[in-house]
C-alpha cells in the first residue's frame, strides 16, 4: 500500500467519523430532551471548557425559576443580577456535571471540537450529589457536637448551610435527625445559633507582661469543657488571629493598663474562611454565595463578673478542665505516679517554665540532653510561645523514663492569622535527671478513645498515645530525620481512595485485594522529598486528631492499626481527612510504620482503611 493510499484512507476515516458525530450532534440539538453545549479550541481542554460553560448556562436558564426567593433577596441592590448569580451557583456543580454528561470530540489541535450533552431527566443527579454532601456535613457536625468539638461542629453546620444555597430546591431539602424530619434551611441556622449560645467563658487567671496582659479563659459547652473551639479577640487595637482553644482552655491578650480593662470582646469562628481551600467544592461555593452573618457569634467576657455565656450569663462550676485532663485518663492504673523524685522533676520543669517566660533558653541547656535541647529550641521557635497558666503536672513512668504531663501553651505566628493551644509533655530521663524529648499532647477525647481499650494493658495503651503524640509533634517541629527513622524502608504510603502495593524488595509483604489497586502511592524516598518541600515552604504545620480507632494485629505482637480523623493546618494549605497507620510497637522507643494511608473522605464502597484491609 502506497503512502498516498494510506493518507486517502485516513482522510475517508476522519470524514466518516466527523459525519457520524455531526449526525449525533444534530439529533441532540433538535431534541427537546437534552441540555447541550459545544466548544471549539486550540486544545481539547480549552474546547471542553467552553462546551461545559455553555451547557451549564443552558441548565441555569432552565432551573433559575426553581431557586428560592431568598436568592433574589440576596441579589437585590447588588451588582450581580439574579440570572448571573444563579448561573454562578450552577457552575459550582461543574464536577458533578462532568460526571453525569456525555461527551463527543473530533478534530485535531489547533481546531478541536467538543460537544457535551445530558438528558434533562438526568439533571437531578447533578444536584443530588451536592445534597448528599450537605447531609454528610450535617452528620459530621452532629457527631462533633456530641463530643464537644465546637469548632468542628460549627464548621460543618455553616458549610452545609452555605452549600444548601447552591441548590434550586434548598427550601425543600429535609433530613431525619433524632427521628424527626428537619428542613435544613431552618434547622442549620437554628443549630448554629444554639451551638454558639451553649458556650460559656470564664476568666481564670491573668499574667501582666509589659504593656500587655494575658487572660486565661475557661471555656465550656453545655457545661462540659470544650474539646476545641476557634475564636478571635479584640486586643484593644485590632482583632487577633484565630486562636484554637483546646480541652477547655483558651487565652486572650489586651494591650494597655490592666486596671482599665473592663471586658474581653470575642468573636466565635463559624465560617472558617481560611480552611475553605480544604475542599474545592466548598471553596467554589462560598466564594460565590452571599455570606450569612450570625450576630450572636460576638460575646463580651466580663472582667468584673465571675463568668459569661455567649448565649446567657451564668456562673460556672469548675469551668476549666485540669491542665492534665488527658493525663487523668492516660495515667489511670499505671504504677509509679507518686515518687520521691517528683520534687526534683518539678524543680527541673519550673526552671524550664521560667526560661520560656523570660525567653532565656540558653539558661536551661543543662536541663536537657543534646537531642532534648534541640527539640526544645525547635518547640519554642514554633511561633510565638506563651505559657497559658501554671501547670499541675502528673508523672507517668514509661519505659526507662518519666512522662511529665503537661504544660499548656499557645503558639501564634507573625505572618499568619492562626494560633494553636497545645499541651507540652516532657520525657525525662531519670538516670541523668534531664529532659530528653518533648511532644504535643493529644486532646482529652483522643486519649479517652485509646484508653477505653481495656483488653490491652495500660503499658500498650500508653505506648500508642506516646507514639501518636511524637508523630504529631515531629510534623509540627519539622523533624524530618525522626519521621524518616520511623518509616519502614518499604513502607506502603498511600494518598487517595484506592491503593496499590509498592513492591520494592522481596520482603515487602503488605498488599491490598486486586480490586483496590489504583491511584496514588509513594515510595519512602518520594514521600520524604515531598515532605521536605512542604516543611521548607510553610511557616507552620499543625495536626489535630479526633475520632480515634485502634485494632491490634492477629500476629506479630505489638502491631496496631490506628485510624484517626486528621485536621491538617499549614501556612499555604489545609485539609481534613482520614489517616491510617499500621505501626510496630514491639520496641516502643523505636516504632516502625509499615503502612500509612490518607483518604479525603470515606469510600462509598468500603469506608475507611483499617488493619483488616492488609
Amino acid at each position: 500500500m502506497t503512502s498516498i493510499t494510506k493518507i486517502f484512507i485516513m482522510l475517508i476515516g476522519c470524514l466518516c467519523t466527523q459525519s457520524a458525530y455531526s449526525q449525533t450532534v444534530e439529533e441532540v440539538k433538535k431534541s427537546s430532551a437534552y441540555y447541550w453545549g459545544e466548544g471549539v479550541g486550540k486544545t481539547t481542554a480549552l474546547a471542553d471548557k467552553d462546551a461545559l460553560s455553555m451547557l451549564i448556562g443552558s441548565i441555569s436558564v432552565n432551573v433559575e425559576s426553581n431557586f428560592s426567593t431568598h436568592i433574589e433577596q440576596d441579589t437585590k441592590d447588588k451588582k450581580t443580577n439574579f440570572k448571573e448569580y444563579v448561573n454562578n451557583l450552577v457552575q459550582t456543580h461543574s464536577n458533578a456535571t462532568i460526571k453525569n454528561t456525555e461527551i463527543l470530540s473530533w478534530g485535531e489541535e489547533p481546531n478541536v471540537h467538543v460537544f457535551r450533552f445530558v438528558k434533562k431527566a438526568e439533571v437531578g443527579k447533578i444536584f443530588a450529589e451536592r445534597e448528599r454532601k450537605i447531609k454528610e456535613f450535617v452528620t459530621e457536625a452532629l457527631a462533633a457536637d456530641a463530643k464537644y468539638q465546637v469548632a468542628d461542629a460549627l464548621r460543618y453546620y455553616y458549610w452545609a448551610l452555605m452549600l444548601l444555597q447552591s441548590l434550586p430546591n434548598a427550601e425543600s431539602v429535609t433530613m431525619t435527625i433524632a427521628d424527626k424530619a428537619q428542613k435544613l434551611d431552618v434547622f442549620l441556622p437554628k443549630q448554629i445559633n444554639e451551638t454558639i449560645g451553649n458556650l460559656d467563658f470564664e476568666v481564670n487567671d491573668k499574667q501582666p507582661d509589659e504593656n500587655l496582659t494575658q487572660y486565661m479563659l475557661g471555656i465550656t459547652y453545655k457545661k462540659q469543657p470544650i474539646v476545641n473551639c476557634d475564636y478571635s479577640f479584640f486586643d484593644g487595637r485590632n482583632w487577633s488571629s484565630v486562636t484554637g482553644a483546646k480541652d477547655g482552655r483558651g487565652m486572650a491578650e489586651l494591650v494597655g493598663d490592666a486596671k482599665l480593662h473592663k471586658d474581653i470582646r470575642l468573636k466565635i469562628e463559624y465560617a472558617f474562611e481560611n480552611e475553605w481551600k480544604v475542599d474545592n467544592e466548598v471553596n467554589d461555593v462560598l466564594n460565590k454565595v452571599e455570606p450569612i452573618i450570625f450576630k450572636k457569634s460576638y460575646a463580651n467576657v466580663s472582667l468584673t463578673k465571675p463568668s459569661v455565656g455567649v448565649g446567657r450569663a451564668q456562673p460556672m462550676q469548675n469551668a476549666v478542665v485540669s491542665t492534665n485532663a488527658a493525663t487523668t485518663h492516660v495515667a489511670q492504673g499505671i504504677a509509679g505516679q507518686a515518687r520521691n523524685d517528683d520534687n526534683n522533676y518539678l524543680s527541673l520543669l519550673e526552671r524550664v517554665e521560667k526560661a520560656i517566660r523570660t525567653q532565656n533558653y540558653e539558661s536551661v541547656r543543662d536541663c536537657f540532653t543534646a537531642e532534648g535541647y534541640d527539640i526544645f529550641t525547635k518547640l519554642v521557635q514554633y511561633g510565638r510561645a506563651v505559657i497559658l497558666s501554671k501547670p499541675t503536672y502528673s508523672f507517668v513512668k514509661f519505659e526507662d523514663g518519666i512522662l511529665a504531663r503537661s504544660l499548656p501553651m499557645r503558639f501564634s505566628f507573625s505572618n499568619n492569622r492562626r494560633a494553636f493551644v497545645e499541651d507540652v509533655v516532657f520525657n525525662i530521663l531519670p538516670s541523668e535527671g534531664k529532659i530528653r524529648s518533648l511532644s504535643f499532647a493529644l486532646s482529652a477525647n483522643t486519649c479517652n478513645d485509646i484508653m477505653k481499650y481495656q483488653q490491652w494493658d495500660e503499658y500498650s495503651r500508653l505506648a500508642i498515645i506516646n507514639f501518636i503524640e511524637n508523630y504529631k509533634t515531629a510534623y509540627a517541629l519539622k523533624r524530618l530525620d525522626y519521621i524518616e527513622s520511623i518509616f519502614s524502608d518499604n513502607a506502603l504510603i498511600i494518598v487517595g481512595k484506592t491503593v496499590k502495593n509498592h513492591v520494592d524488595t522481596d520482603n515487602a509483604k503488605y498488599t491490598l485485594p486486586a480490586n483496590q489497586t489504583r491511584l496514588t502511592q509513594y515510595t519512602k524516598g518520594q514521600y520524604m522529598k515531598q515532605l521536605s518541600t512542604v516543611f521548607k515552604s510553610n511557616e507552620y504545620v499543625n495536626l489535630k486528631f479526633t475520632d480515634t480507632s485502634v485494632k491490634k494485629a492477629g500476629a506479630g505482637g505489638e502491631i496496631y492499626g490506628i485510624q484517626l480523623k486528621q485536621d491538617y493546618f499549614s501556612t499555604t494549605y489545609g485539609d481534613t481527612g482520614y489517616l491510617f497507620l499500621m505501626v510496630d510497637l514491639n520496641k516502643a522507643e523505636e516504632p516502625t510504620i509499615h503502612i500509612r494511608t490518607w483518604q479525603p473522605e470515606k469510600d462509598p464502597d468500603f469506608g475507611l482503611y483499617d488493619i483488616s484491609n492488609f
Side-chain angles (χ1 to χ4, degrees):
M1 185 182 295
T2 67
S3 58
I4 294 176
T5 304
K6 289 180 180 178
I7 292 172
F8 179 75
I9 291 172
M10 288 174 64
L11 286 171
I12 292 296
C14 289
L15 289 171
C16 289
T17 303
Q18 184 170 347
S19 176
Y21 280 155
S22 298
Q23 187 179 12
T24 305
V25 168
E26 290 306 313
E27 287 176 354
V28 170
K29 286 183 176 181
K30 290 178 181 178
S31 172
S32 60
Y34 294 93
Y35 295 122
W36 55 269
E38 59 184 340
V40 181
K42 291 184 177 180
T43 66
T44 301
L46 290 173
D48 188 37
K49 182 180 178 181
D50 288 344
L52 186 61
S53 178
M54 184 176 177
L55 171 61
I56 288 173
S58 177
I59 294 172
S60 66
V61 167
N62 286 274
V63 301
E64 67 180 34
S65 61
N66 296 326
F67 274 85
S68 57
T69 54
H70 75 269
I71 295 294
E72 292 192 56
Q73 185 63 37
D74 284 343
T75 58
K76 190 176 182 181
D77 301 325
K78 298 288 194 308
K79 292 181 180 179
T80 304
N81 62 42
F82 176 70
K83 291 181 182 293
E84 183 181 351
Y85 191 62
V86 170
N87 187 63
N88 287 339
L89 293 183
V90 176
Q91 283 181 1
T92 68
H93 297 267
S94 60
N95 286 336
T97 305
I98 290 170
K99 292 178 185 176
N100 289 282
T101 57
E102 296 186 58
I103 182 171
L104 299 173
S105 64
W106 63 93
E108 296 179 354
E109 296 178 355
N111 191 34
V112 181
H113 294 250
V114 172
F115 186 79
R116 280 191 175 272
F117 60 101
V118 61
K119 288 184 178 179
K120 291 182 178 180
E122 298 290 303
V123 167
K125 291 181 179 179
I126 295 172
F127 300 116
E129 287 202 25
R130 178 66 50 80
E131 184 173 326
R132 177 188 61 80
K133 183 157 193 167
I134 290 167
K135 291 179 178 179
E136 283 183 356
F137 277 172
V138 175
T139 301
E140 292 278 2
L142 291 167
D145 194 317
K147 296 177 181 179
Y148 311 108
Q149 295 166 204
V150 177
D152 301 327
L154 287 174
R155 179 200 300 121
Y156 287 121
Y157 283 140
Y158 187 77
W159 287 3
L161 177 62
M162 301 311 288
L163 290 185
L164 189 65
Q165 311 308 304
S166 68
L167 291 179
N169 61 329
E171 293 181 341
S172 63
V173 176
T174 61
M175 181 175 175
T176 301
I177 299 170
D179 299 323
K180 182 179 179 181
Q182 298 279 1
K183 290 185 63 180
L184 291 185
D185 67 323
V186 175
F187 173 81
L188 288 170
K190 178 173 177 286
Q191 201 68 12
I192 291 170
N193 279 321
E194 285 186 358
T195 300
I196 294 171
N198 280 319
L199 284 167
D200 288 294
F201 293 81
E202 183 179 48
V203 176
N204 291 306
D205 195 9
K206 67 178 180 180
Q207 296 177 5
D209 184 11
E210 295 183 357
N211 194 41
L212 191 74
T213 303
Q214 298 164 5
Y215 292 92
M216 311 310 156
L217 302 176
I219 310 172
T220 62
Y221 179 63
K222 298 178 180 178
K223 300 302 180 184
Q224 296 298 317
I226 55 97
V227 171
N228 58 36
C229 178
D230 284 12
Y231 64 91
S232 52
F233 55 85
F234 191 75
D235 66 8
R237 297 174 301 188
N238 193 17
W239 284 98
S240 73
S241 58
V242 174
T243 294
K246 174 189 173 187
D247 288 343
R249 292 191 313 278
M251 68 94 71
E253 296 176 329
L254 270 62
V255 297
D257 188 348
K259 295 177 181 177
L260 302 178
H261 298 161
K262 302 300 181 185
D263 55 28
I264 302 171
R265 184 75 169 150
L266 299 178
K267 182 183 184 301
I268 312 304
E269 180 67 28
Y270 57 85
F272 293 87
E273 185 173 352
N274 291 337
E275 297 177 31
W276 290 356
K277 290 182 181 178
V278 166
D279 187 301
N280 290 334
E281 206 169 341
V282 168
N283 191 43
D284 196 13
V285 173
L286 270 69
N287 273 301
K288 289 177 178 174
V289 299
E290 290 293 323
I292 297 175
I293 304 302
F294 289 86
K295 293 183 179 180
K296 289 185 178 181
S297 63
Y298 289 91
N300 285 327
V301 181
S302 175
L303 295 175
T304 58
K305 296 179 182 179
S307 66
V308 64
V310 175
R312 61 196 184 282
Q314 187 172 342
M316 297 186 297
Q317 300 298 322
N318 302 320
V320 181
V321 68
S322 161
T323 42
N324 296 291
T327 304
T328 301
H329 302 280
V330 172
Q332 279 180 348
I334 299 176
Q337 290 187 58
R339 289 174 301 277
N340 294 329
D341 293 330
D342 284 1
N343 287 334
N344 293 332
Y345 301 144
L346 281 172
S347 298
L348 179 73
L349 296 170
E350 285 171 356
R351 282 188 62 195
V352 174
E353 290 174 40
K354 182 178 179 181
I356 294 173
R357 294 185 195 278
T358 61
Q359 299 183 8
N360 186 7
Y361 310 129
E362 182 64 31
S363 67
V364 290
R365 182 186 284 269
D366 63 308
C367 295
F368 297 87
T369 64
E371 182 181 15
Y373 187 71
D374 180 60
I375 298 172
F376 172 68
T377 54
K378 284 185 169 71
L379 184 141
V380 293
Q381 292 167 6
Y382 179 67
R384 175 172 169 259
V386 175
I387 295 175
L388 285 183
S389 59
K390 184 68 177 176
T392 304
Y393 292 104
S394 290
F395 298 97
V396 181
K397 182 171 174 36
F398 178 67
E399 290 289 317
D400 62 343
I402 300 295
L403 300 179
R405 307 177 65 94
S406 53
L407 179 65
M409 297 184 68
R410 177 181 182 265
F411 299 89
S412 57
F413 305 89
S414 57
N415 297 321
N416 294 277
R417 296 189 63 78
R418 180 79 211 185
F420 300 97
V421 171
E422 297 286 0
D423 292 292
V424 178
V425 180
F426 298 89
N427 188 328
I428 302 171
L429 186 61
S431 61
E432 297 185 25
K434 295 185 176 183
I435 299 165
R436 62 178 170 186
S437 184
L438 302 91
S439 61
F440 291 151
L442 297 175
S443 70
N445 268 19
T446 304
C447 287
N448 285 339
D449 287 343
I450 296 169
M451 293 306 292
K452 71 184 179 184
Y453 292 100
Q454 297 291 329
Q455 66 269 37
W456 308 323
D457 61 30
E458 289 87 350
Y459 173 86
S460 296
R461 287 175 280 168
L462 185 58
I464 294 168
I465 290 171
N466 188 60
F467 162 72
I468 300 173
E469 289 179 343
N470 284 326
Y471 179 92
K472 160 189 166 76
T473 310
Y475 279 77
L477 303 188
K478 305 176 184 178
R479 294 185 63 201
L480 197 65
D481 55 342
Y482 175 80
I483 297 170
E484 186 170 9
S485 74
I486 63 175
F487 273 93
S488 164
D489 286 340
N490 352 299
L492 187 64
I493 302 172
I494 315 302
V495 176
K497 296 180 181 178
T498 54
V499 184
K500 70 177 180 181
N501 187 29
H502 172 64
V503 183
D504 228 3
T505 72
D506 293 335
N507 295 323
K509 58 183 179 180
Y510 297 107
T511 60
L512 279 176
N515 65 344
Q516 297 175 14
T517 56
R518 291 188 307 233
L519 286 189
T520 310
Q521 135 235 333
Y522 298 100
T523 64
K524 176 180 176 179
Q526 289 170 332
Y527 180 66
M528 293 302 148
K529 184 177 180 180
Q530 183 194 51
L531 205 55
S532 176
T533 301
V534 169
F535 287 167
K536 289 176 182 177
S537 60
N538 284 278
E539 183 183 8
Y540 70 85
V541 172
N542 191 274
L543 305 181
K544 298 290 185 187
F545 295 131
T546 55
D547 301 347
T548 311
S549 175
V550 184
K551 292 182 180 179
K552 190 172 185 178
E558 298 294 300
I559 296 178
Y560 296 91
I562 304 170
Q563 203 177 70
L564 303 138
K565 186 174 182 182
Q566 173 184 281
D567 289 319
Y568 174 96
F569 304 93
S570 71
T571 312
T572 59
Y573 174 76
D575 63 38
T576 296
Y578 297 90
L579 177 70
F580 171 76
L581 300 169
M582 182 185 280
V583 60
D584 185 341
L585 292 176
N586 280 295
K587 293 183 178 179
E589 72 281 4
E590 298 177 9
T592 302
I593 297 172
H594 292 292
I595 299 171
R596 177 195 183 274
T597 72
W598 182 85
Q599 299 167 251
E601 56 190 8
K602 296 178 182 179
D603 189 282
D605 296 325
F606 64 89
L608 299 175
Y609 290 118
D610 62 26
I611 203 166
S612 64
N613 293 114
F614 300 92

PDB file of all heavy atoms in Angstrom, residues 408-421:
ATOM      1  N   PRO A 408       0.521  23.791  79.503  1.00  0.00           N
ATOM      2  CA  PRO A 408      -0.349  24.389  78.480  1.00  0.00           C
ATOM      3  C   PRO A 408       0.302  25.627  77.865  1.00  0.00           C
ATOM      4  O   PRO A 408       0.728  26.539  78.575  1.00  0.00           O
ATOM      5  CB  PRO A 408      -1.612  24.756  79.257  1.00  0.00           C
ATOM      6  CG  PRO A 408      -1.147  24.949  80.661  1.00  0.00           C
ATOM      7  CD  PRO A 408       0.004  24.011  80.874  1.00  0.00           C
ATOM      8  N   MET A 409       0.355  25.656  76.530  1.00  0.00           N
ATOM      9  CA  MET A 409       0.991  26.768  75.827  1.00  0.00           C
ATOM     10  C   MET A 409       0.171  27.188  74.614  1.00  0.00           C
ATOM     11  O   MET A 409      -0.622  26.400  74.083  1.00  0.00           O
ATOM     12  CB  MET A 409       2.409  26.382  75.376  1.00  0.00           C
ATOM     13  CG  MET A 409       3.363  26.067  76.517  1.00  0.00           C
ATOM     14  SD  MET A 409       5.055  25.732  75.948  1.00  0.00           S
ATOM     15  CE  MET A 409       5.536  27.371  75.358  1.00  0.00           C
ATOM     16  N   ARG A 410       0.386  28.419  74.198  1.00  0.00           N
ATOM     17  CA  ARG A 410      -0.238  28.946  72.984  1.00  0.00           C
ATOM     18  C   ARG A 410       0.858  29.372  72.027  1.00  0.00           C
ATOM     19  O   ARG A 410       1.836  30.004  72.415  1.00  0.00           O
ATOM     20  CB  ARG A 410      -1.137  30.150  73.295  1.00  0.00           C
ATOM     21  CG  ARG A 410      -1.775  30.820  72.072  1.00  0.00           C
ATOM     22  CD  ARG A 410      -2.617  32.008  72.540  1.00  0.00           C
ATOM     23  NE  ARG A 410      -3.305  32.675  71.445  1.00  0.00           N
ATOM     24  CZ  ARG A 410      -2.828  33.749  70.811  1.00  0.00           C
ATOM     25  NH1 ARG A 410      -1.651  34.265  71.151  1.00  0.00           N
ATOM     26  NH2 ARG A 410      -3.524  34.313  69.852  1.00  0.00           N
ATOM     27  N   PHE A 411       0.686  29.012  70.749  1.00  0.00           N
ATOM     28  CA  PHE A 411       1.669  29.349  69.723  1.00  0.00           C
ATOM     29  C   PHE A 411       0.976  30.166  68.630  1.00  0.00           C
ATOM     30  O   PHE A 411      -0.021  29.739  68.048  1.00  0.00           O
ATOM     31  CB  PHE A 411       2.263  28.076  69.113  1.00  0.00           C
ATOM     32  CG  PHE A 411       2.988  27.210  70.106  1.00  0.00           C
ATOM     33  CD1 PHE A 411       2.314  26.227  70.818  1.00  0.00           C
ATOM     34  CD2 PHE A 411       4.336  27.382  70.343  1.00  0.00           C
ATOM     35  CE1 PHE A 411       2.971  25.422  71.745  1.00  0.00           C
ATOM     36  CE2 PHE A 411       5.007  26.595  71.273  1.00  0.00           C
ATOM     37  CZ  PHE A 411       4.323  25.610  71.967  1.00  0.00           C
ATOM     38  N   SER A 412       1.503  31.368  68.371  1.00  0.00           N
ATOM     39  CA  SER A 412       0.964  32.215  67.306  1.00  0.00           C
ATOM     40  C   SER A 412       2.076  32.520  66.312  1.00  0.00           C
ATOM     41  O   SER A 412       3.261  32.361  66.615  1.00  0.00           O
ATOM     42  CB  SER A 412       0.376  33.510  67.881  1.00  0.00           C
ATOM     43  OG  SER A 412       1.354  34.208  68.631  1.00  0.00           O
ATOM     44  N   PHE A 413       1.679  32.993  65.132  1.00  0.00           N
ATOM     45  CA  PHE A 413       2.635  33.136  64.037  1.00  0.00           C
ATOM     46  C   PHE A 413       2.507  34.527  63.423  1.00  0.00           C
ATOM     47  O   PHE A 413       1.410  34.962  63.074  1.00  0.00           O
ATOM     48  CB  PHE A 413       2.402  32.055  62.984  1.00  0.00           C
ATOM     49  CG  PHE A 413       2.437  30.678  63.580  1.00  0.00           C
ATOM     50  CD1 PHE A 413       1.291  30.082  64.083  1.00  0.00           C
ATOM     51  CD2 PHE A 413       3.628  29.995  63.693  1.00  0.00           C
ATOM     52  CE1 PHE A 413       1.310  28.833  64.668  1.00  0.00           C
ATOM     53  CE2 PHE A 413       3.679  28.733  64.277  1.00  0.00           C
ATOM     54  CZ  PHE A 413       2.520  28.156  64.764  1.00  0.00           C
ATOM     55  N   SER A 414       3.641  35.196  63.285  1.00  0.00           N
ATOM     56  CA  SER A 414       3.647  36.602  62.877  1.00  0.00           C
ATOM     57  C   SER A 414       3.092  36.817  61.482  1.00  0.00           C
ATOM     58  O   SER A 414       2.458  37.831  61.199  1.00  0.00           O
ATOM     59  CB  SER A 414       5.067  37.164  62.951  1.00  0.00           C
ATOM     60  OG  SER A 414       5.951  36.407  62.143  1.00  0.00           O
ATOM     61  N   ASN A 415       3.298  35.870  60.587  1.00  0.00           N
ATOM     62  CA  ASN A 415       2.880  36.066  59.196  1.00  0.00           C
ATOM     63  C   ASN A 415       1.572  35.367  58.857  1.00  0.00           C
ATOM     64  O   ASN A 415       1.187  35.300  57.690  1.00  0.00           O
ATOM     65  CB  ASN A 415       3.988  35.561  58.254  1.00  0.00           C
ATOM     66  CG  ASN A 415       5.267  36.356  58.411  1.00  0.00           C
ATOM     67  OD1 ASN A 415       5.229  37.564  58.576  1.00  0.00           O
ATOM     68  ND2 ASN A 415       6.400  35.667  58.381  1.00  0.00           N
ATOM     69  N   ASN A 416       0.891  34.821  59.859  1.00  0.00           N
ATOM     70  CA  ASN A 416      -0.330  34.067  59.584  1.00  0.00           C
ATOM     71  C   ASN A 416      -1.365  34.338  60.661  1.00  0.00           C
ATOM     72  O   ASN A 416      -1.040  34.492  61.834  1.00  0.00           O
ATOM     73  CB  ASN A 416      -0.022  32.560  59.547  1.00  0.00           C
ATOM     74  CG  ASN A 416       0.866  32.203  58.388  1.00  0.00           C
ATOM     75  OD1 ASN A 416       0.402  32.019  57.278  1.00  0.00           O
ATOM     76  ND2 ASN A 416       2.170  32.120  58.633  1.00  0.00           N
ATOM     77  N   ARG A 417      -2.625  34.373  60.236  1.00  0.00           N
ATOM     78  CA  ARG A 417      -3.716  34.641  61.170  1.00  0.00           C
ATOM     79  C   ARG A 417      -4.244  33.328  61.750  1.00  0.00           C
ATOM     80  O   ARG A 417      -5.364  32.901  61.503  1.00  0.00           O
ATOM     81  CB  ARG A 417      -4.825  35.427  60.478  1.00  0.00           C
ATOM     82  CG  ARG A 417      -4.361  36.809  60.032  1.00  0.00           C
ATOM     83  CD  ARG A 417      -5.517  37.652  59.539  1.00  0.00           C
ATOM     84  NE  ARG A 417      -6.499  37.907  60.584  1.00  0.00           N
ATOM     85  CZ  ARG A 417      -6.348  38.805  61.555  1.00  0.00           C
ATOM     86  NH1 ARG A 417      -5.255  39.529  61.638  1.00  0.00           N
ATOM     87  NH2 ARG A 417      -7.308  38.978  62.459  1.00  0.00           N
ATOM     88  N   ARG A 418      -3.374  32.677  62.519  1.00  0.00           N
ATOM     89  CA  ARG A 418      -3.734  31.403  63.123  1.00  0.00           C
ATOM     90  C   ARG A 418      -2.909  31.194  64.377  1.00  0.00           C
ATOM     91  O   ARG A 418      -1.723  31.538  64.417  1.00  0.00           O
ATOM     92  CB  ARG A 418      -3.470  30.272  62.137  1.00  0.00           C
ATOM     93  CG  ARG A 418      -3.800  28.894  62.645  1.00  0.00           C
ATOM     94  CD  ARG A 418      -5.279  28.601  62.590  1.00  0.00           C
ATOM     95  NE  ARG A 418      -5.678  27.702  63.661  1.00  0.00           N
ATOM     96  CZ  ARG A 418      -6.902  27.208  63.792  1.00  0.00           C
ATOM     97  NH1 ARG A 418      -7.844  27.535  62.931  1.00  0.00           N
ATOM     98  NH2 ARG A 418      -7.194  26.409  64.779  1.00  0.00           N
ATOM     99  N   ALA A 419      -3.517  30.672  65.435  1.00  0.00           N
ATOM    100  CA  ALA A 419      -2.798  30.349  66.668  1.00  0.00           C
ATOM    101  C   ALA A 419      -3.331  29.023  67.198  1.00  0.00           C
ATOM    102  O   ALA A 419      -4.486  28.650  66.953  1.00  0.00           O
ATOM    103  CB  ALA A 419      -2.981  31.452  67.710  1.00  0.00           C
ATOM    104  N   PHE A 420      -2.477  28.300  67.915  1.00  0.00           N
ATOM    105  CA  PHE A 420      -2.843  26.983  68.422  1.00  0.00           C
ATOM    106  C   PHE A 420      -2.551  26.895  69.913  1.00  0.00           C
ATOM    107  O   PHE A 420      -1.567  27.447  70.402  1.00  0.00           O
ATOM    108  CB  PHE A 420      -2.055  25.879  67.705  1.00  0.00           C
ATOM    109  CG  PHE A 420      -2.269  25.837  66.219  1.00  0.00           C
ATOM    110  CD1 PHE A 420      -1.370  26.460  65.368  1.00  0.00           C
ATOM    111  CD2 PHE A 420      -3.359  25.183  65.678  1.00  0.00           C
ATOM    112  CE1 PHE A 420      -1.558  26.429  63.993  1.00  0.00           C
ATOM    113  CE2 PHE A 420      -3.561  25.144  64.309  1.00  0.00           C
ATOM    114  CZ  PHE A 420      -2.663  25.774  63.467  1.00  0.00           C
ATOM    115  N   VAL A 421      -3.404  26.177  70.629  1.00  0.00           N
ATOM    116  CA  VAL A 421      -3.152  25.838  72.025  1.00  0.00           C
ATOM    117  C   VAL A 421      -2.693  24.386  72.068  1.00  0.00           C
ATOM    118  O   VAL A 421      -3.348  23.500  71.508  1.00  0.00           O
ATOM    119  CB  VAL A 421      -4.415  26.031  72.883  1.00  0.00           C
ATOM    120  CG1 VAL A 421      -4.206  25.462  74.286  1.00  0.00           C
ATOM    121  CG2 VAL A 421      -4.783  27.507  72.965  1.00  0.00           C
TER     122      VAL A 421
END
